[in-house]
Amino acid sequence: ARGIQHTAVRQAHRKHEPSFHDKYGTLVLLGGATMFTTVWGYVLTKLNLEWGFSPVGRITPTEWRE
């Protein structure tokens, strides 16, 4: 039991080294958000979508070919 206590005390007094998330977490999050916004912005502007709610008057039927 005393060995476990010594190990716990030794680990508690160890200097905390920053992990990957401590160093780069915010940078990775912002980079991902930027990529997400850029890709979806490109996709939504290149699809040539009609941004209306009703298709009435916009869609005309084509003649049937046999």
Side-chain angles (χ1 to χ4, degrees):
R2 211 171 271 282
I4 294 172
Q5 287 177 343
H6 285 289
T7 303
V9 168
R10 222 180 9 243
Q11 289 178 352
H13 290 293
R14 185 183 301 172
K15 289 184 179 179
H16 174 71
E17 296 177 6
S19 67
F20 176 83
H21 295 287
D22 294 334
K23 288 181 181 178
Y24 307 109
T26 305
L27 187 64
V28 170
L29 180 68
L30 291 175
T34 303
M35 281 298 296
F36 178 85
T37 304
T38 303
V39 168
W40 276 107
Y42 178 80
V43 167
L44 292 176
T45 55
K46 295 299 178 185
L47 282 181
N48 294 326
L49 293 176
E50 293 288 333
W51 292 102
F53 293 109
S54 175
V56 174
R58 292 194 188 129
I59 300 173
T60 57
T62 58
E63 291 295 324
W64 181 260
R65 290 178 286 169
E66 294 197 30

